[in-house]
Amino acid sequence: MLDNNSFVINTFQFLNLVTNVMMDVFREIKVQTLAFVFTGLRVMGSVPQLLRPGGRVETALRETPPSCLSDPLLGRHQYIKINGNKYHYVESGSRRHQMLLCLHDFSDFWYGWRKQLRAFSGSFWVVAPDLKGFGDSEKPFLASQYSDETITQELCKFIELLLDDPKRKVVLIGHGLGGHIAWKLAERYPHLFNKFIVISTPHPNIWLKNVIKTWRNVYENRWLYECRLPLLPERNLVGNDIEIIDKRFKKSGSVIDLSSFSNFDKEAYKYTFSRPLDWRGPVNYFRNLPLSNTGALLGQQEKNIIDLDTLFLVGNIDPQVNLEMVSQSAEYVSRFIVKIIDMAGHSPHQEKPEIVNQIMNQFITGDIAYMSKWSNRMKFLK
């Protein structure tokens, strides 16, 4: 009787496993199908522009970096090798001070933290690396080199190599893609940090769940599916003389005019992202998104509560983040504060640097003992 029961249980478990595998295969086929469909729509949409005289702008050859990238007031350029991969970073301030580790967004690089590198250099040791695949850091070809586990392990080693004392704690700051990586760093290596600042970045599970919440969300985020295909996304990103950078520096619709940028800043970005090779690493991060992973998509993964004082900064006209995503992210930390930056879009630390720097400095240096009673809740600072 026991043998029969065991046989039935084992058979049921086997069938359940097979069903789950088949469902995962089906979902991955669905993702790949959407990738081809969305890419096809993009190609068809670009045909009229290609046929129109002067409709497509050739990408300019940029051989010399603009002088702002070597401005000594922003910091010192350094390199370090981790697991055979070269990491470039810029540091400002004394190494005797506490480290502020700043992780940048997609279509960004260390230069996105120029306002913080200069503002905090007197009191902190500010470290702004080019993430793997960006800027002057190594750009491996395989998407597997950009997995969450690989990236977080390498950044953990990056921190340990730079710090001379394992007891020293780091303030972790992340924006966009760098914010997603920062969430995972804080979850896996909380012993390295004592404070956590996320800018315009909900928890990765919340963000991913929102991406596939409805068919409208899927369509609005269709570029994430296009990244599943090889080579084409990188070539599209350099199209029309890197049009994606032009859009970033232009006032349109719900995006604020980034008046804190200069023409030199724009050329710094265009120089850094002027080749398809410069986009290979950034796109590979999105190629690894678990769009077909049921647990991640439905938010069924076990929550690892981060026991760090956490500050969430978000612009009030950010088209990519809403307060529902922010409030849901609060469930992943034990102490959580939100500051909404008025008239700021997706990059408040660049659009409103004076205001953001003041808030971050208060959060890092101020008395926040009151946060203990705000466990799993939000307090909006005035």
Side-chain angles (χ1 to χ4, degrees):
M1 188 69 176
L2 292 176
D3 290 340
N4 289 338
N5 287 338
S6 298
F7 175 77
V8 171
I9 293 173
N10 291 335
T11 302
F12 177 79
Q13 291 176 339
F14 175 75
L15 292 174
N16 187 51
L17 176 62
V18 171
T19 301
N20 289 336
V21 170
M22 291 179 64
M23 291 299 294
D24 288 340
V25 170
F26 172 77
R27 292 187 181 94
E28 184 58 35
I29 291 174
K30 178 181 174 182
V31 169
Q32 295 293 343
T33 301
L34 288 173
F36 280 103
V37 169
F38 290 145
T39 300
L41 291 174
R42 179 183 292 275
V43 171
M44 288 189 292
S46 64
V47 169
Q49 183 183 39
L50 293 173
L51 296 177
R52 189 171 64 247
R56 188 168 182 84
V57 181
E58 293 296 325
T59 302
L61 184 63
R62 293 176 170 84
E63 297 180 330
T64 305
S67 58
C68 60
L69 291 181
S70 56
D71 185 350
L73 295 178
L74 295 181
R76 306 173 294 276
H77 291 257
Q78 307 284 359
Y79 295 86
I80 191 170
K81 282 191 176 181
I82 302 170
N83 298 337
N85 293 303
K86 179 185 69 174
Y87 274 80
H88 166 254
Y89 65 97
V90 176
E91 63 174 4
S92 66
S94 172
R95 291 197 170 200
R96 294 191 298 271
H97 294 151
Q98 184 177 24
M99 180 196 293
L100 307 186
L101 180 64
C102 305
L103 306 181
H104 61 77
D105 194 8
F106 181 86
S107 76
D108 212 333
F109 62 119
W110 72 265
Y111 193 67
W113 300 104
R114 60 197 177 282
K115 303 293 185 179
Q116 289 69 44
L117 282 161
R118 182 174 294 182
F120 289 107
S121 61
S123 304
F124 297 97
W125 173 25
V126 190
V127 177
D130 283 331
L131 290 171
K132 189 177 185 179
F134 289 81
D136 288 333
S137 289
E138 200 83 35
K139 299 176 173 64
F141 177 77
L142 296 177
S144 59
Q145 287 289 313
Y146 301 86
S147 68
D148 291 343
E149 183 177 1
T150 299
I151 295 299
T152 54
Q153 283 181 349
E154 290 183 358
L155 285 174
C156 175
K157 191 169 184 180
F158 176 90
I159 295 169
E160 292 173 345
L161 289 174
L162 263 61
L163 293 177
D164 54 5
D165 183 354
K167 295 181 180 179
R168 295 177 66 182
K169 301 294 183 180
V170 175
V171 176
L172 179 61
I173 308 173
H175 171 233
L177 173 64
H180 287 193
I181 296 170
W183 275 106
K184 291 165 186 175
L185 262 177
E187 286 178 344
R188 297 178 184 183
Y189 306 102
H191 64 282
L192 294 174
F193 313 106
N194 67 343
K195 292 188 181 174
F196 181 30
I197 301 174
V198 279
I199 303 175
S200 308
T201 316
H203 189 279
N205 289 355
I206 302 300
W207 175 81
L208 193 58
K209 182 180 178 181
N210 185 74
V211 166
I212 52 85
K213 189 175 183 180
T214 65
W215 278 108
R216 179 177 179 178
N217 291 50
V218 169
Y219 182 74
E220 289 176 347
N221 294 280
R222 58 192 178 277
W223 189 81
L224 299 176
Y225 292 83
E226 295 176 40
C227 288
R228 279 294 205 268
L229 301 183
L231 302 178
L232 289 176
E234 290 90 331
R235 295 188 64 84
N236 287 332
L237 285 164
V238 297
N240 282 336
D241 196 29
I242 326 173
E243 187 179 19
I244 186 175
I245 302 298
D246 290 324
K247 291 180 178 179
R248 182 174 182 168
F249 287 79
K250 175 189 309 184
K251 183 177 181 179
S252 62
S254 61
V255 180
I256 193 170
D257 181 12
L258 302 184
S259 57
S260 62
F261 286 80
S262 69
N263 287 332
F264 289 107
D265 296 330
K266 183 176 178 178
E267 279 306 304
Y269 279 90
K270 286 205 167 189
Y271 169 80
T272 302
F273 293 100
S274 60
R275 306 168 299 169
L277 171 65
D278 298 323
W279 291 99
R280 182 171 67 195
V283 172
N284 274 334
Y285 283 90
F286 291 122
R287 287 192 173 111
N288 285 320
L289 282 177
L291 294 173
S292 59
N293 186 315
T294 308
L297 298 184
L298 299 180
Q300 295 173 350
Q301 292 178 329
E302 182 180 351
K303 293 178 181 177
N304 297 317
I305 306 302
I306 300 172
D307 189 23
L308 291 173
D309 297 331
T310 303
L311 169 65
F312 198 118
L313 294 168
V314 61
N316 68 334
I317 55 174
D318 186 344
Q320 302 180 38
V321 180
N322 57 53
L323 287 181
E324 181 183 2
M325 297 166 69
V326 173
S327 62
Q328 291 173 351
S329 299
E331 299 176 6
Y332 288 84
V333 294
S334 58
R335 295 176 299 282
F336 194 86
I337 294 178
V338 175
K339 176 61 180 177
I340 300 176
I341 310 301
D342 189 39
M343 294 303 295
H346 191 62
S347 304
H349 62 301
Q350 299 182 43
E351 299 164 31
K352 302 287 184 179
E354 292 82 9
I355 296 173
V356 169
N357 290 346
Q358 181 181 11
I359 294 170
M360 289 200 296
N361 187 66
Q362 289 177 339
F363 174 73
I364 296 169
T365 63
D367 179 11
I368 52 171
Y370 65 86
M371 289 185 66
S372 60
K373 63 182 179 182
W374 289 93
S375 178
N376 292 326
R377 297 177 62 186
M378 298 186 300
K379 177 177 174 62
F380 289 86
L381 298 178
K382 301 298 183 181

